[in-house]
Amino acid sequence: MTTTTTRTANHSKTLHLIHIAMFAALMAIGANISSFLIIGGVPITLQTFFAILAGLLLGSRMGAFSMVVYAFIGLAGVPVFAGFSGGMDTLISPTFGFILSFVLIALVSGWIANKFPTRIGFVMAALAGLVVNYVFGTNWMYAAYKLWFAAPEGFTYQMAWAWMAVPLPKDLILSVLAGLFGFRLRPIIQKFR
């Protein structure tokens, strides 16, 4: 009986590590799969999509942890951030707030999906994650340009938000799809926990 319990616990821990590693890898792919597509100076990525899915499929804590792993891999110098970048200098980048927001996205979307485990609940969780991404990331970007990074001429808070209008339609569509995919895939993922 003890051997079976130990095997089950080890199996569960192994699967958790695999899921965390899988989402860290998906984030690296999502950051760079479309790095050739730059609109208005903004690289169009799938990071928000995968951060939402991490929260929806793995739950808030494990999803957030997978995003922490992704961030630390990039900060360690592995080029997993958008534009195949990485390293400690990313900390002072105006876009580092978006990287930090991925942890919050997974926390928020996973928490809401747990509270409201319906299709609509998952879509709302995904959209809430998107709101967290935009609010945290855009405010960080504005602060970075105003406090320690060279701001473009005439840079304003409204300009920072105007820049976010470019990826917004794509992110809205992908967030809804993440909610729908998450709702369909979560029962499958939970079978292997």
Side-chain angles (χ1 to χ4, degrees):
M1 184 72 162
T2 305
T3 307
T4 304
T5 306
T6 304
R7 273 195 207 135
T8 304
N10 288 341
H11 180 71
S12 181
K13 287 178 186 176
T14 303
L15 281 175
H16 287 327
L17 291 174
I18 290 169
H19 290 151
I20 288 166
M22 179 182 73
F23 271 96
L26 286 171
M27 285 296 288
I29 293 166
N32 293 296
I33 197 166
S34 57
S35 63
F36 59 88
L37 181 60
I38 298 175
I39 299 173
V42 179
I44 304 301
T45 70
L46 300 176
Q47 290 168 296
T48 305
F49 174 79
F50 286 124
I52 290 169
L53 268 183
L56 297 179
L57 296 178
L58 304 182
S60 60
R61 285 189 343 203
M62 206 161 74
F65 187 66
S66 70
M67 297 300 101
V68 169
V69 168
Y70 166 72
F72 277 123
I73 290 170
L75 290 173
V78 181
V80 295
F81 297 147
F84 295 102
S85 64
M88 292 301 282
D89 57 335
T90 310
L91 286 168
I92 60 168
S93 165
T95 58
F96 187 68
F98 291 101
I99 295 168
L100 287 178
S101 79
F102 299 145
V103 177
L104 298 174
I105 290 169
L107 272 172
V108 168
S109 59
W111 183 83
I112 294 172
N114 281 340
K115 292 288 182 191
F116 305 99
T118 64
R119 181 177 282 114
I120 296 293
F122 269 63
V123 171
M124 297 316 294
L127 292 172
L130 179 63
V131 168
V132 167
N133 179 240
Y134 272 58
V135 170
F136 193 89
T138 304
N139 282 298
W140 178 286
M141 180 174 63
Y142 175 74
Y145 275 124
K146 284 299 190 181
L147 299 176
W148 66 82
F149 215 77
E153 178 111 9
F155 182 72
T156 64
Y157 189 64
Q158 291 77 16
M159 184 184 289
W161 279 101
W163 289 349
M164 298 310 298
V166 174
L168 181 61
K170 177 265 308 179
D171 284 336
L172 281 170
I173 292 166
L174 287 176
S175 294
V176 170
L177 288 176
L180 296 172
F181 290 156
F183 181 74
R184 293 295 300 259
L185 294 174
R186 192 164 189 180
I188 297 166
I189 294 289
Q190 287 182 335
K191 282 182 189 176
F192 297 103
R193 284 186 151 185

